[in-house]
Amino acid sequence: MTPPTGFEPPPYPYERLDGLKAVAAGHEGGLVDLSIGTPFDPPPPAVVEALGRSGAERGYPPSVGTVRYREAAAGWMARRLGVEVPPGDVAACVGTKEFVATAAQWLRLRSPGRDTVLYPAVSYPTYAMGATLAGCRAVPVADDLSGIAADDAERALCLWVNSPGNPTGALADLGAAAGWGRAHGVPVLSDECYAEFTWDGPPRTILEHGPDGVVAVHSLSKRSNLAGVRAGFYAGDAGLVRYLSEVRKHAGYMVPGPVQAAAAVALDDDVHVDEQRARYLDRLTFFRDVLAAEGATVALPGGSFYLWAEAPGGDFPEGRAWAFTRHLAERGGVLVAPGDLYGEADAAHVRVAVVAPRERLALVADRLAAAR
Ligand SMILES: Cc1ncc(COP(=O)(O)O)c(C=O)c1O
């Protein structure tokens, strides 16, 4: 048989860090992993209890989401984001990564003449991967959307925006994105999974600018430390939500019933999110100073639980970001993520997810100080 010549999955971005992970893990007291950003803190006990007593195991769950789940999501958006969205214009997804990775292929079925996904140049890798998986072009765009070429706009299936953004923590101009999409007839998909960890002003959503042509995407993974249960939702433009939820139903995407029940409990509660906000802000402030003491240039982000630190300058064959990542692993026993994992555009920064408890961050600070 002739060997296949098509798509070969690249190494998963974080697997490129395996060598340095082993180096950092060699420290007494072990590895402090601030690379992937997996939530560490506990989810609310009431949510964990709800997983076990929903009675929803036996039957198939509705792909679009139960009425209870969609109402909880709409209630949360009204309370925390100040927007009224009919629960009928909300649909469930199995965490948001799968939604991000598959949206392009569904939108291409809807608009077969188009083949391009526009996404932020420095960003979560799955926007571009979603284009690749759909056999489409992934075209990175700068913050200033007026630089998007006319040909790319005409071919665009969607424009992704992400605010607060991963990896930089920057806040995007969501009104400008909605306006650009409407002016060019391109759906705007707004990944807002860090919305409740906005530090610079209140949480924002693209839906503040009206639902036409836009879809906001939200996750329980970050707000409620529930990355392991896989619950998210998308909401906004009635036609887009209906189309996507119908196609996804045919493809068999379903959030498990017990997860929907528990996620609704999580969405109803804001106290645990306020506690989590306090933890992250404390850690961001503490670790910013730790990185600055190692020569990085770093400010608190507008949102998210990431520090986006400019690595110290110098002539490093492996590049500044990888050299600083190595420095931190060797001396501090801590693993961070070099900027080029989020796009070739940024090889001078590292991303640091403050997902470890304060005492583990203090351990890193002590190790680094002792090695200085
Ligand atoms: C920007 C962004 N979008 C989406 C996701 C996916 O989160 P989940 O699939 O857990 O909802 C992540 C996770 O790191 C993320 O950083």
Side-chain angles (χ1 to χ4, degrees):
M1 200 169 80
T2 349
T5 54
F7 173 63
E8 183 68 39
Y12 202 65
Y14 293 102
E15 284 165 16
R16 293 172 57 201
L17 284 168
D18 283 352
L20 290 180
K21 190 176 194 172
V23 169
H27 274 255
E28 195 182 327
L31 166 74
V32 178
D33 193 347
L34 308 182
S35 62
I36 298 189
T38 300
F40 158 85
D41 301 294
V47 174
V48 179
E49 270 167 43
L51 273 175
R53 61 172 159 71
S54 70
E57 296 81 8
R58 222 167 275 192
Y60 286 103
S63 170
V64 69
T66 60
V67 171
R68 167 86 175 96
Y69 185 65
R70 297 158 91 196
E71 284 179 348
W76 171 79
M77 285 188 279
R79 259 187 356 263
R80 298 292 264 194
L81 303 177
V83 291
E84 296 295 332
V85 181
D89 297 344
V90 177
C93 53
V94 193
T96 55
K97 187 178 175 87
E98 62 85 358
F99 182 90
V100 173
T102 57
Q105 58 180 289
W106 314 136
L107 291 173
R108 195 170 198 199
L109 292 174
R110 182 171 172 264
S111 306
R114 296 181 176 220
D115 67 351
T116 297
V117 171
L118 305 173
Y119 72 101
V122 178
S123 60
Y124 180 56
T126 311
Y127 308 121
M129 181 52 75
T132 305
L133 296 176
C136 289
R137 298 160 73 224
V139 174
V141 300
D143 292 343
D144 179 1
L145 302 175
S146 65
I148 298 174
D151 175 57
D152 289 334
E154 272 163 34
R155 293 169 69 174
L157 292 160
C158 64
L159 165 68
W160 276 105
V161 287
N162 174 215
S163 181
N166 173 10
T168 66
L171 303 181
D173 184 343
L174 296 175
W180 185 92
R182 286 173 193 144
H184 294 85
V186 175
V188 180
L189 307 181
S190 180
D191 181 348
E192 302 174 358
C193 64
Y194 300 100
E196 284 190 288
F197 305 120
T198 299
W199 313 116
D200 193 358
R204 282 154 234 182
T205 173
I206 199 161
L207 300 176
E208 284 162 41
H209 308 282
D212 289 350
V214 303
V215 172
V217 185
H218 284 279
S219 175
L220 276 289
S221 298
K222 325 279 176 187
R223 94 176 273 281
S224 301
N225 297 321
L226 288 171
V229 309
R230 314 306 302 140
F233 65 88
Y234 53 103
D237 184 280
L240 282 167
V241 171
R242 174 168 301 272
Y243 183 83
L244 291 170
S245 62
E246 286 296 316
V247 178
R248 291 169 52 84
K249 180 163 63 182
H250 285 289
Y253 287 86
M254 283 171 265
V255 178
V259 170
Q260 296 199 35
V265 173
L267 284 165
D268 285 349
D269 180 63
D270 300 325
V271 174
H272 72 281
V273 185
D274 292 336
E275 289 168 2
Q276 191 62 42
R277 279 176 55 89
R279 283 184 200 118
Y280 281 144
L281 195 53
D282 172 61
R283 294 174 193 163
L284 285 168
T285 312
F286 176 76
F287 213 70
R288 174 197 50 185
D289 295 344
V290 174
L291 292 168
E294 292 306 300
T297 307
V298 53
L300 285 181
S304 82
F305 46 73
Y306 302 119
L307 290 163
W308 183 240
E310 188 180 339
D315 188 14
F316 305 109
E318 59 194 331
R320 272 162 81 176
W322 280 89
F324 193 48
T325 302
R326 174 177 302 285
H327 168 92
L328 293 172
E330 286 173 351
R331 299 186 174 217
V334 60
L335 194 66
V336 304
D340 67 355
L341 264 50
Y342 309 95
E344 281 159 23
D346 215 309
H349 290 78
V350 299
R351 192 198 75 171
V352 182
V354 293
V355 288
R358 178 66 185 264
E359 59 273 18
R360 298 291 288 167
L361 301 183
L363 173 66
V364 173
D366 291 346
R367 289 168 175 169
L368 289 169
R372 228 172 272 142

